[in-house]
Amino acid sequence: MNVSAVVLAPTTGATGRWAAASRRSPADGPTAPALAGLGSAAVEEVLGQVATVRDLLAQVRAAAAAGRGWEGQARQAVLLAVQGLEGAVQVSRAAWLAAETAAGTSRRPSDRSDGEMWSRLSGTGTANGRKAVAQAETVELVPVFAAAVEAGRVPTPHLDEVAKVLPGAAPAVVAELTSPQGQEALADLAEQHDPRTFARHLAAAVARLDPVVVQDRYEAQHRDRYLHLSDTDRGTVVKGRLDARAGDALRRALELVGGVPDEERSSEQVRADALESLALAALAAPTAGGSTAQVRPHVTIVMDASTWAAASTAMAAESSGSAERGRAAESDHVGPALDDPVTGSGCVTRAEAVATAVRGLPPVLDEDGVPVPMSHLTRVLCDAEVSRLVLGAGSTPLDVGRNQRTYCGGLRRAVVVRDQRCTWPGCSTPARWCEVHHIRWWSRGGPTSAENGVLVCAHHHHQVHTHDVTITRLRPEPRARHGGGGGGARPVPRYEFRARDGRLVTTGRSSPGSDRGGGGGGRG
């Protein structure tokens, strides 16, 4: 049976009537009458159910006019309930799309993939077609997580994040994330975090289970790097692609020298001006021996003590082995092995050795919580000034060097590593754009310490002071809570924000435990 683009005609009947109004020509496939004898009663029943849902939603939409005069809380309840239906629709579509891709009856020879097949039938475009097929594959792999999406417990963007990881993942990753415990852990994390933060925790779990995949992804990105400069009569056009680590370094540099967008400059123009400033500074910098690489970058790499010990031991062992191989090569009149940071056999071997050594240990992350490839770690540790930051239970900084009046240097890094992002309920602003606020205000006798510091973005820092918001750090969630789907990610501190009148500041989500204000968290 090959049916596409079915348009439902709502009726008052129990099962409804339906008609095929395909955009394809009659010669391309069967229309509704052609379904006679092919289980059409069952087909009509299911399509009638869909038509009923469509009719009911039309009634809900029509009621929105009257809802303008309702209490805000009542209107919000309906809005969130309708939003929750999005998951039910997507999971239902995923189930039917999985059934169709398994049967293969709609696939044409010209369709290079199931994604192209669905793109053609739905008219949604190739990218959306691939996305829908990935969702279908994921729903079959994680039915418990899919049920949470269907029930509205988990927002649909989180399903997309899982769909980016699971299909084609290593067996160890699939085994843990698809286990009942792993799926519940994924749903738990999805309830607590916005999609970007959830994706970070998911990436950390994958990095813990299969560090090699992080390295492989980085090497693929590095191979595809390019940068084009084209001079035109309207100026120089810059176009390119960098690997994630190089992109992060460039973004940080642009933010360091750039300004804030205003009425005169857009964010794009601010970045363009910052890039020019970087170029001029590089040209004006003194050189030594023809090299301008005099100042090492300021990069924060966060790892657990056990990971550091395993990585250091593996690097030392590999370095010793490389030296032995070099001496053997020289005795055989063969040049020493290449040690290119990415593609040379020496460093790739070292990266693989380190990745093997740290498998199953907490992953190596940057200060934003993004997994770091092992080749990047080995290069940083070989050519970097390493500062110590000791974390205790619940990722509480214990050793940050000498105290300072303002939050800068090691003290700021300690708060950044612990809090990771803006802690205001529902906000996910990255740490590098945030400020450190004194929980007990400085003007009220509060000390400048890691314990008294909390990370908030500039906007919410202003809100805290304007509305006299009090902040309380709560006990961290048990580490086991992040097992399975969230294993490897640093524990996220939980905070409680209260307005001057004692009211709890929340994300606005209806479930009491789903927002970091109601449940004591720092991000939605």
Side-chain angles (χ1 to χ4, degrees):
M1 183 168 63
N2 191 4
V3 184
S4 68
V6 174
V7 176
L8 305 173
T11 70
T12 57
T15 59
R17 295 182 294 109
W18 59 276
S22 174
R23 287 170 294 197
R24 301 160 56 190
S25 66
D28 288 333
T31 55
L35 295 175
L38 295 178
S40 58
V43 174
E44 184 172 344
E45 181 179 2
V46 173
L47 289 173
Q49 292 168 351
V50 176
T52 300
V53 171
R54 187 189 295 271
D55 286 344
L56 291 173
L57 283 176
Q59 295 175 31
V60 172
R61 176 188 57 77
R68 291 174 179 267
W70 292 3
E71 292 279 343
Q73 194 172 7
R75 189 167 48 247
Q76 184 183 98
V78 175
L79 182 60
L80 291 175
V82 173
Q83 174 65 27
L85 293 177
E86 181 181 8
V89 172
Q90 290 203 19
V91 171
S92 181
R93 181 195 65 186
W96 279 95
L97 184 54
E100 179 53 42
T101 55
T105 51
S106 294
R107 184 96 175 248
R108 288 179 175 178
S110 59
D111 295 328
R112 292 172 293 183
S113 65
D114 289 328
E116 285 196 2
M117 175 271 292
W118 181 242
S119 170
R120 172 175 54 79
L121 292 180
S122 64
T124 54
T126 303
N128 286 324
R130 287 196 297 264
K131 178 179 174 181
V133 170
Q135 275 189 351
E137 295 174 359
T138 303
V139 163
E140 292 205 311
L141 287 172
V142 285
V144 175
F145 184 80
V149 175
E150 186 176 27
R153 175 184 160 200
V154 172
T156 54
H158 296 70
L159 177 62
D160 294 329
E161 295 300 335
V162 177
K164 293 175 185 177
V165 171
L166 266 186
V173 176
V174 174
E176 180 154 341
L177 297 187
T178 59
S179 68
Q181 298 86 351
Q183 293 184 58
E184 281 294 347
L186 283 177
D188 234 11
L189 283 171
E191 282 190 281
Q192 298 173 53
H193 301 294
D194 63 273
R196 186 164 62 174
T197 307
F198 172 73
R200 232 177 57 238
H201 282 278
L202 191 57
V206 172
R208 175 178 64 84
L209 297 166
D210 187 19
V212 175
V213 75
V214 180
Q215 177 65 27
D216 290 344
R217 186 180 299 118
Y218 169 71
E219 290 180 11
Q221 292 175 353
H222 193 76
R223 284 193 299 269
D224 291 340
R225 72 195 185 281
Y226 70 92
L227 183 66
H228 291 159
L229 299 177
S230 304
D231 294 323
T232 71
D233 56 356
R234 298 185 60 187
T236 300
V237 177
V238 182
K239 181 180 180 181
R241 177 186 294 125
L242 304 176
D243 63 68
R245 306 318 312 167
D248 181 67
L250 176 60
R251 183 181 298 106
R252 290 175 185 274
L254 294 176
E255 291 170 358
L256 180 66
V257 301
V260 178
D262 51 31
E263 294 181 356
E264 295 183 358
R265 296 191 306 168
S266 66
S267 57
E268 292 83 0
Q269 290 171 327
V270 167
R271 286 194 293 269
D273 293 344
L275 183 60
E276 180 188 14
S277 298
L278 288 174
L280 294 176
L283 292 173
T287 59
S291 173
T292 59
Q294 299 179 52
V295 181
R296 288 168 178 158
H298 297 256
V299 177
T300 300
I301 300 295
V302 183
M303 70 184 87
D304 190 88
S306 60
T307 307
W308 162 260
S312 299
T313 301
M315 287 179 62
E318 179 58 33
S319 296
S320 175
S322 296
E324 291 294 332
R325 289 192 295 272
R327 285 191 290 271
E330 289 177 359
S331 65
D332 292 337
H333 304 287
V334 178
L338 293 175
D339 196 21
D340 184 88
V342 175
T343 59
S345 59
C347 201
V348 168
T349 300
R350 186 178 301 118
E352 291 175 348
V354 174
T356 301
V358 302
R359 179 177 282 115
L361 297 175
V364 181
L365 309 171
D366 65 16
E367 65 181 30
D368 285 337
V370 178
V372 173
M374 293 300 103
S375 62
H376 183 73
L377 174 66
T378 58
R379 184 173 62 187
V380 167
L381 295 184
C382 286
D383 188 30
E385 295 178 357
V386 179
S387 60
R388 181 178 59 170
L389 179 60
V390 182
L391 303 181
S395 290
T396 302
L398 300 178
D399 182 357
V400 296
R402 67 184 183 87
N403 291 331
Q404 303 177 49
R405 178 185 176 117
T406 57
Y407 285 97
C408 57
L411 197 57
R412 174 181 166 81
R413 286 199 301 273
V415 178
V416 165
V417 168
R418 181 194 64 211
D419 290 348
Q420 306 173 41
R421 306 180 85 77
C422 174
T423 57
W424 183 278
C427 184
S428 58
T429 301
R432 60 181 176 272
W433 295 339
C434 293
E435 303 168 353
V436 181
H437 166 70
H438 291 76
I439 294 178
R440 182 184 176 194
W441 294 12
W442 175 265
S443 60
R444 299 172 182 174
T448 302
S449 65
E451 180 65 24
N452 194 47
V454 60
L455 210 59
V456 286
C457 66
H459 170 68
H460 288 125
H461 199 177
H462 176 74
Q463 295 292 315
V464 167
H465 284 276
T466 300
H467 300 289
D468 197 9
V469 174
T470 59
I471 305 173
T472 304
R473 184 181 299 116
L474 305 180
R475 294 173 61 87
E477 295 175 342
R479 196 173 185 88
R481 171 116 175 166
H482 300 281
R490 301 198 304 277
V492 180
R494 300 188 303 146
Y495 291 90
E496 184 177 82
F497 288 69
R498 289 190 179 273
R500 183 181 303 173
D501 60 4
R503 286 180 304 155
L504 201 62
V505 179
T506 70
T507 61
R509 291 177 62 176
S510 56
S511 173
S514 65
D515 60 78
R516 305 307 301 269
R523 289 176 289 282

